[in-house]
Amino acid sequence: MERGVAEGGLGPGLALPPVRRLADELAVSPGTVATAYKELRQRGVVVTRGRGGTVVAEEPAVASRRPPKVPEGLRDLAGGHPDPAFLPELRPPARIAPVFGSHRGSPRLPRLEELTREWFARDGVPAERVTFAQGALDCIGRLLSTELRPGDAVAVEDPGFHHLLDLVPALGLRMVPVAVDDEGLRPEELRVALRGGVRAVVCSPRGQCPMGGAFSEERRDDLARVLRDFPEVLVVEDDHNADIAGAPSYALATTGLARWAQVRTVSKHLGVDLRWAGVACDAATLARHDGRMLLTSGWVSHVLQQTVTWLLEDEGVRRLVAAGERAYTERREALIRELGRYGVRAHGVSGINVWVPVRDESAVVNGLRSRGWWVAAGARFRISAPTAVRITTAGLTVDEAARLAADFAGVLGESEATYGG
């Protein structure tokens, strides 16, 4: 079977014969077939879907789907990047003393560990146990690979962060989409996913990409009540733009869950090239994460750690980040308001993106391209969610928002005339 999958004879989603039937066909014991199926599941070749039987797994991604190159001369609103005007100048250490041996024995700088604890504690997240990683996806990938086995199911947001939607199948795991709205994950849909056997949940408490949702206090509490019925499930919160989200923190990490981790990065507010993340989590999750890191990269570069430490301690940097958060909120709200003038509904209560439902993504993307704008088609972010486009508003001025909204409305009018909407 493994050879058949590798050579293309057995395609993704193909249902395999029931154990007893295959055992009869091959003249072997059912136990032999069951053992073979188990090994195939462990290798990520097949997945079990309950009553749906055992099927060939979807082909895992070997690289993240990169967005199309921005055509020359267009205003780029598709990348999801912060405005460079609100990013501080990076100041790596000028002189680095030679290191004897390695840093495996002391992987974290004490001062940065202290600042990380303060960062989480500011929002009530338990900070007794913290560690570091090389970015949010690096951390999430390590947590999932140590906690789960190939074929296990992970609940993900739909629409959700496209790099995560590539990472999960690349690990040999199965994605279970959970719909989101302006307040984040929908509790009843999460309950359905949990009852279906998911082993981990990955979500964003605010600044959700691409929809911009943020947990309200009530939604956070509703989700926590659902999750408490499944204490063995690992809940990973990706609070990737905690300092510029423009929304308060109502984190699941504050609700006393048994298995949890919250990940925060600095790439959105201190610099996209700072591949560093702080992690707060329960004791078992910390041990598994750090144990795996010890065997691979070992530690996060101390040069990088020192750079992050200096930035976090700099009062001028803190003022710049705060100014950025205010500007991002103003720009995001301006576009939503201007679109509303034309009867166009948009989502984005936090973060640096606005999600606009449309009937035909390609028509809107190409129509806006003809008017000088470049936005992201929603297909990269969706599993089964309705069609939409994502607009990054981080660098969009208030005056530009009015012009973009007028162009957007014009494109929708052209699309309806063309497609008979």
Side-chain angles (χ1 to χ4, degrees):
M1 286 182 178
E2 192 166 26
R3 188 182 311 115
V5 171
E7 295 175 354
L10 301 178
L14 179 70
L16 301 183
V19 169
R20 290 191 177 277
R21 192 173 86 196
L22 185 57
D24 290 342
E25 292 176 3
L26 299 178
V28 298
S29 74
T32 298
V33 176
T35 300
Y37 276 18
K38 179 179 179 181
E39 185 168 342
L40 288 168
R41 283 196 301 273
Q42 291 174 340
R43 297 186 191 185
V45 178
V46 303
V47 295
T48 299
R49 294 179 175 171
R51 294 182 180 178
T54 300
V55 302
V56 177
E58 296 296 324
E59 184 177 0
V62 295
S64 184
R65 293 164 289 180
R66 295 185 180 275
K69 185 177 180 180
V70 181
E72 187 174 350
L74 297 188
R75 184 77 163 85
D76 182 12
L77 303 177
H81 304 304
D83 186 342
F86 297 108
L87 296 177
E89 180 180 345
L90 302 184
R91 296 182 291 107
R95 296 171 63 88
I96 306 296
V99 175
F100 178 76
S102 77
H103 287 302
R104 276 183 164 81
S106 54
R108 295 183 292 276
L109 294 182
R111 178 55 180 155
L112 184 54
E113 189 169 351
E114 179 183 352
L115 291 168
T116 302
R117 294 183 195 280
E118 294 173 0
W119 194 18
F120 285 108
R122 178 191 72 189
D123 293 313
V125 175
E128 293 83 5
R129 291 172 289 272
V130 299
T131 189
F132 303 159
Q134 284 118 342
L137 285 174
D138 172 70
C139 175
I140 293 171
R142 191 174 295 110
L143 292 175
L144 294 180
S145 64
T146 57
E147 186 74 21
L148 280 63
R149 296 294 177 265
D152 285 346
V154 181
V156 298
E157 297 165 326
D158 184 22
F161 184 36
H162 59 293
H163 290 308
L164 177 69
L165 301 187
D166 288 334
L167 173 64
V168 172
L171 296 173
L173 305 173
R174 179 165 54 91
M175 291 189 295
V176 177
V178 177
V180 296
D181 56 26
D182 290 336
E183 295 183 78
L185 291 171
R186 294 180 180 175
E188 287 311 309
E189 295 206 19
L190 177 61
R191 184 181 294 279
V192 171
L194 291 165
R195 285 175 173 168
V198 301
R199 296 283 310 284
V201 177
V202 182
C203 60
S204 297
R206 52 185 167 177
Q208 193 269 347
C209 177
M211 199 169 178
F215 289 165
S216 64
E217 185 174 11
E218 181 180 7
R219 175 63 60 85
R220 187 266 319 269
D221 293 344
D222 289 343
L223 291 170
R225 278 191 286 273
V226 171
L227 288 163
R228 286 194 191 100
D229 292 335
F230 303 87
E232 73 284 356
V233 172
L234 174 64
V235 179
V236 181
E237 289 186 294
D238 180 6
D239 197 6
H240 62 282
N241 56 15
D243 285 45
I244 57 168
S249 172
Y250 296 111
L252 288 166
T254 65
T255 62
L257 299 178
R259 299 299 316 283
W260 65 277
Q262 186 176 107
V263 187
R264 294 186 176 188
T265 66
V266 296
S267 60
K268 295 296 186 186
H269 70 283
L270 295 183
V272 295
D273 197 38
L274 289 176
R275 312 311 299 168
W276 178 87
V279 189
C281 54
D282 67 87
T285 300
L286 178 74
R288 292 176 181 178
H289 175 278
D290 284 5
R292 178 62 60 87
M293 175 172 273
L294 187 67
L295 294 172
T296 54
S297 58
W299 68 92
V300 177
S301 163
H302 279 207
V303 176
L304 175 58
Q305 289 189 46
Q306 185 62 67
T307 302
V308 173
T309 300
W310 288 345
L311 290 169
L312 292 178
E313 291 181 317
D314 190 305
E315 183 59 36
V317 170
R318 286 196 286 268
R319 288 195 296 269
L320 181 64
V321 171
E325 182 176 36
R326 291 192 296 270
Y328 294 146
T329 300
E330 181 182 52
R331 295 169 182 181
R332 185 185 68 250
E333 292 177 347
L335 179 59
I336 293 173
R337 182 175 61 252
E338 294 297 330
L339 287 170
R341 296 184 192 280
Y342 297 93
V344 179
R345 186 183 177 213
H347 301 273
V349 299
S350 62
I352 60 174
N353 298 299
V354 168
W355 183 250
V356 190
V358 297
R359 189 183 56 179
D360 189 318
E361 294 177 0
S362 296
V364 172
V365 170
N366 290 327
L368 288 175
R369 175 179 179 175
S370 69
R371 298 175 185 234
W373 308 100
W374 186 245
V375 302
R380 286 193 295 137
F381 309 95
R382 299 185 291 104
I383 301 175
S384 57
T387 51
V389 296
R390 190 192 75 169
I391 303 173
T392 298
T393 56
L396 188 73
T397 67
V398 174
D399 290 340
E400 287 178 317
R403 184 162 58 87
L404 173 58
D407 287 342
F408 201 107
V411 167
L412 288 182
E414 293 171 358
S415 174
E416 290 176 359
T418 302
Y419 295 98

